[in-house]
């Protein structure tokens, strides 16, 4: 039975990586009107750095981390053996193919299938990385995800200063301190329009900036 | 003999800290003590910080001078992190910041460890201060150019250059018969005087007669605190002269200098904090102040204490290893 030792190795690796990410990003996390929980959730955050997913994932308590999968771009995270190992084995990332989106298998369908009744997700609804000045408009994925699974708790997250640690187009990180703010859960209201919902979700992330 | 003196110094401080901890516990237990709880809480946090500082410092003494240099190097790195985090830079400064964090800052402490005084005394104020503007100019972003240089260089000067003079005390040759214990004592004496000065200036500022020095920058720093605090530290420095290579009057004078410089350091860093609209450098680390809030006075006092010691050694005709 090699599985037990493999699992130990993976969870040790997870622990080590989470600590490294915390140290590198100097991240302190705050929960505002919100608590860490292993229930099924979708953490949605602003996106400014390649490190965002890893840092957010590391900021969660170990038991929550075990059931939380970052949604990440396949083209970036399958480049090179180390990245692929980290994405598939350690972070248990849900890799989405950005170049080849099929009609019958949209990213939202893949997410719903993959999380089942157990996993939570980390998503970045802006679609791409911003410059850290302003949170961009949200893509519609979050809306369709909530429409198909209205039971999922949506947790807004604001990542501060990550763009200065590893900005777009840079290879080397500068070890500044960052701050991760988790907000209160929200849901898609019945009959709420797509535009209104996306606006409300974006507002929830932006509001956390003020705390 | 000298080992016993070191042990006496460190042990004495630990006993004092234990007494302070017990006193705070007792005061907190009785609510009718009439003391302001906020003041008590501040004092409790400071004593806690001293425990950490003293035990870590004492531990590195037992490992050796290199451990002390590494300890201060890590502290400088963390303080610089806090400083630059709260100082707005532009995305085009990224490469320069990388060089500052991973080349210049470590190199400064390596040179201190190697006792290369001719180089570590000018590495930052000469070479780094010319390289930084050059690197920023290379990025082609000229917006607020001078301001960005000033911010990065001020951070480097205060957090790295100034602080590196504290472990540099370990590299001085203090007497004809060189013993490591004497350096450890001198560094411990210096840190002790800085911390006592912080505490005593704060304590004396609590007396009813209050003349705040700069209300716009620091509402709790008063003339009474500065005068009586510095006077008390000068007295204590004279009392602790046996831990230093100085005669009693010089140990007292050095303590006065340390106290005044510490005051200047903490006021300067407060001004920067005010400008940035934050209460302390640790706002990003919830629950407690940052490291820079604890060591601001240490940073300003270290280079002056070091050089005054050097002048004294020169007058005593004690040649230095460089």
């Amino acid at each position: 039975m090699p599985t037990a030792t493999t699992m130990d190795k993976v969870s040790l690796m997870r622990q080590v990586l989470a600590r490294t990410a915390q140290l590198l990003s100097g991240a302190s996390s705050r929960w505002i009107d919100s608590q860490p929980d292993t229930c099924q959730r979708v953490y949605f955050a602003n996106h400014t750095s390649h490190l965002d997913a890893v840092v957010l994932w590391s900021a969660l308590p170990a038991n929550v981390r075990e059931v939380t999968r970052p949604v990440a771009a396949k083209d970036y995270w399958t480049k090179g053996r180390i990245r692929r190992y980290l994405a598939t084995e350690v972070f248990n990332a849900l890799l989405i193919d950005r170049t080849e989106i099929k009609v019958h298998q949209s990213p939202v369908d893949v997410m719903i299938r993959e999380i089942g009744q157990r996993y939570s997700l980390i998503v970045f609804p802006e679609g791409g990385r911003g410059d850290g000045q302003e949170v961009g408009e949200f893509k519609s994925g979050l809306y369709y995800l909530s429409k198909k699974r209205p039971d999922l708790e949506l947790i807004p997250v604001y990542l501060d200063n990550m763009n200065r640690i590893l900005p777009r187009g840079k290879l080397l990180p500068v070890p500044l301190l960052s701050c991760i703010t988790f907000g209160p859960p929200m849901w898609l209201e019945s009959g709420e329009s797509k535009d209104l919902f996306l606006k409300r979700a974006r507002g929830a992330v932006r509001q956390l900036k003020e705390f | 003999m000298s080992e016993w003196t070191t042990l006496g110094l460190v042990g004495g401080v630990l006993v004092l800290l234990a007494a302070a901890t017990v006193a705070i516990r007792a005061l907190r237990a009785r609510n009718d003590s009439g003391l302001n709880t906020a003041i008590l809480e501040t004092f409790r946090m400071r004593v806690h910080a001293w425990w950490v500082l003293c035990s870590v410092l004492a531990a590195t003494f037992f490992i050796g001078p290199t451990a002390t240099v590494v300890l201060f190097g890590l502290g400088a790195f963390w303080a610089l992190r806090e400083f630059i985090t709260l100082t707005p830079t532009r995305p085009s400064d990224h490469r320069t910041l990388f060089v500052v964090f991973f080349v210049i800052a470590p190199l400064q402490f390596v040179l201190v460890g190697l006792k290369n005084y001719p180089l570590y005394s000018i590495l930052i104020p000469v070479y780094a201060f010319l390289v930084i503007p050059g690197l920023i100019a290379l990025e082609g972003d000229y917006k607020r150019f001078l301001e960005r240089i000033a911010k990065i260089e001020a951070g480097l000067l205060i957090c790295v250059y100034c602080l590196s003079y504290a472990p540099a005390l370990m590299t001085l040759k203090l007497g004809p018969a060189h013993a490591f214990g004497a350096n450890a004592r001198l560094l411990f004496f210096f840190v002790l005087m800085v911390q006592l000065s912080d505490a005593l200036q704060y304590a004396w500022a609590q007396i009813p007669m209050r003349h705040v020095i700069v209300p716009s920058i620091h509402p709790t720093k008063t003339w009474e605190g500065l005068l009586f605090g510095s006077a008390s530290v000068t007295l204590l420095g004279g009392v602790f002269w046996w831990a230093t290579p100085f005669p009693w009057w010089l140990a007292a004078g050095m303590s006065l200098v340390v106290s005044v410089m510490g005051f200047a350091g903490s006021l300067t860093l407060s001004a920067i904090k005010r400008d940035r609209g934050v209460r302390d450098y640790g706002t990003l680390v919830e629950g407690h102040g940052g490291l820079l809030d604890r060591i601001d006075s240490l940073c300003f006092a270290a280079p002056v204490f070091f050089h005054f010691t050097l002048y004294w050694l020169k007058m005593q005709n004690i040649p230095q290893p460089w």
Side-chain angles (χ1 to χ4, degrees):
Chain A
M1 281 285 286
T3 27
T5 48
T6 319
M7 271 318 287
D8 283 350
K9 220 174 122 188
V10 167
S11 47
L12 182 73
M13 196 65 203
R14 281 183 182 161
Q15 199 67 270
V16 168
L17 248 121
R19 293 268 165 216
T20 313
Q22 276 169 351
L23 207 67
L24 188 73
S25 63
S28 57
S29 39
R30 304 179 298 172
W31 293 77
I32 297 193
D33 300 325
S34 189
Q35 289 294 326
D37 199 312
T38 48
C39 69
Q40 273 198 299
R41 283 173 160 176
V42 178
Y43 301 91
F44 63 102
N46 60 319
H47 197 18
T48 55
S49 167
H50 274 314
L51 294 176
D52 285 347
V54 180
V55 167
L56 205 169
W57 177 83
S58 306
L60 297 167
N63 60 331
V64 180
R65 213 185 292 144
E66 289 294 318
V67 293
T68 305
R69 305 181 60 181
V71 176
K74 198 172 195 166
D75 49 287
Y76 179 78
W77 285 99
T78 50
K79 237 180 247 159
R81 275 177 57 189
I82 298 173
R83 266 189 221 170
R84 188 176 315 161
Y85 168 75
L86 290 178
T88 54
E89 302 292 328
V90 182
F91 307 132
N92 194 12
L94 208 160
L95 297 177
I96 299 289
D97 198 336
R98 286 194 289 194
T99 47
E100 203 182 329
I101 294 170
K102 292 166 192 151
V103 185
H104 60 278
Q105 203 178 357
S106 74
V108 171
D109 291 329
V110 176
M111 288 179 211
I112 286 174
R113 197 183 63 221
E114 289 280 327
I115 59 173
Q117 298 300 315
R118 175 173 160 79
Y119 288 105
S120 296
L121 288 174
I122 296 172
V123 300
F124 299 100
E126 289 167 86
R129 282 167 297 149
D131 59 2
Q133 299 300 317
E134 187 50 85
V135 180
E137 295 291 333
F138 279 7
K139 296 262 161 67
S140 53
L142 192 65
Y143 170 75
Y144 292 115
L145 189 63
S146 321
K147 200 159 187 192
K148 289 188 178 167
R149 284 288 304 273
D151 58 310
L152 297 176
E153 272 190 13
L154 307 175
I155 305 278
V157 184
Y158 184 75
L159 300 166
D160 193 18
N161 226 19
M162 286 306 299
N163 61 307
R164 288 179 73 201
I165 294 174
L166 185 67
R168 262 195 106 114
K170 300 284 196 247
L171 197 67
L172 300 167
V174 168
L176 301 178
L177 302 167
S178 61
C179 183
I180 304 167
T181 312
F182 295 87
M186 56 178 277
W187 292 267
L188 174 66
E189 304 289 338
S190 59
E192 191 174 12
S193 80
K194 189 178 87 179
D195 286 346
L196 219 63
F197 168 76
L198 291 174
K199 215 169 153 184
R200 191 161 64 93
R202 178 168 170 254
V205 171
R206 288 174 68 191
Q207 206 193 344
L208 296 175
K209 205 175 171 173
E210 308 306 321
F211 282 99
Chain B
M1 163 61 201
S2 88
E3 296 303 315
W4 285 108
T5 325
T6 312
L7 224 58
L9 183 65
V10 175
V13 168
L14 291 182
V15 168
L16 271 178
L17 276 177
T21 308
V22 169
I24 290 169
R25 285 262 165 88
L27 282 172
R28 262 161 52 118
R30 16 185 305 219
N31 293 327
D32 59 331
S33 59
L35 272 167
N36 188 336
T37 39
I39 295 173
L40 203 59
E41 191 53 27
T42 310
F43 196 64
R44 192 191 65 80
M45 273 166 62
R46 278 175 189 232
V47 171
H48 181 79
W50 295 334
W51 268 113
V52 176
L53 194 72
C54 283
S55 6
V56 173
L57 205 55
T60 58
F61 288 162
F62 284 102
I63 306 171
T66 312
T68 312
V69 175
V70 170
L71 171 75
F72 277 90
L74 292 173
F77 192 82
W78 191 273
L80 186 64
R81 249 180 130 168
E82 291 177 350
F83 191 100
I84 301 288
T85 297
L86 289 182
T87 309
T89 54
R90 287 172 64 80
S92 42
D93 300 334
H94 191 77
R95 196 185 316 205
T96 313
L97 287 175
F98 185 83
V99 173
V100 164
F101 273 99
F102 290 108
V103 181
I104 301 170
L107 187 60
Q108 173 72 13
F109 282 87
V110 168
L111 290 172
V112 168
L114 294 174
K115 307 184 182 192
N116 194 335
Y117 175 78
L119 194 48
Y120 75 67
S121 57
I122 59 166
L123 176 79
I124 287 170
V126 177
Y127 298 112
F129 278 21
L130 294 174
V131 165
I132 289 167
L135 279 174
I136 294 183
L138 269 179
E139 297 288 330
D141 179 3
Y142 52 78
K143 237 183 187 168
R144 296 190 284 119
F145 185 70
L146 209 50
E147 204 182 315
R148 283 150 58 205
I149 297 168
K151 282 169 182 164
I152 297 173
E153 292 189 347
L156 198 56
L157 187 76
I158 295 171
C159 305
V160 179
Y161 181 75
C162 288
L163 190 60
S164 74
Y165 275 100
L169 289 171
M170 300 298 274
T171 66
L172 287 173
K173 194 164 182 286
L174 296 176
H178 184 66
F180 166 62
N183 292 74
R185 278 201 301 278
L186 184 62
L187 175 56
F188 202 83
F189 171 83
F190 166 68
V191 174
L192 184 67
M193 287 305 134
V194 174
Q195 298 299 327
L196 281 174
S197 149
D198 273 0
L200 288 168
Q201 287 185 9
Y202 181 77
W204 277 108
Q206 306 305 324
I207 61 169
M209 210 174 40
R210 301 181 68 170
H211 297 90
V212 180
I213 303 174
V214 211
S216 59
I217 289 175
H218 208 301
T220 61
K221 289 217 180 295
T222 65
W223 282 113
E224 291 78 13
L226 178 61
L227 290 176
F228 295 126
S230 304
S232 324
V233 172
T234 309
L235 218 66
L236 281 168
V239 170
F240 277 102
W241 69 272
W242 48 270
T244 71
F246 314 127
W248 68 269
W249 55 270
L250 189 57
M254 292 287 255
S255 304
L256 176 63
V257 170
V258 160
S259 189
V260 173
M261 287 312 297
F263 170 80
S266 125
L267 200 64
T268 306
L269 273 289
S270 292
I272 301 173
K273 281 184 273 192
R274 282 283 149 152
D275 182 37
R276 298 299 314 139
V278 293
R279 221 180 121 247
D280 41 36
Y281 285 94
T283 20
L284 287 171
V285 187
E286 199 164 9
H288 53 86
L291 177 68
L292 199 48
D293 300 293
R294 289 278 91 82
I295 64 169
D296 48 7
S297 18
L298 202 71
C299 290
F300 268 57
V304 179
F305 185 83
F306 177 91
H307 281 112
F308 279 26
T309 307
L310 203 55
Y311 302 151
W312 164 254
L313 293 174
K314 228 169 238 168
M315 281 194 281
Q316 300 300 303
N317 285 320
I318 296 165
Q320 292 307 311
W322 48 79

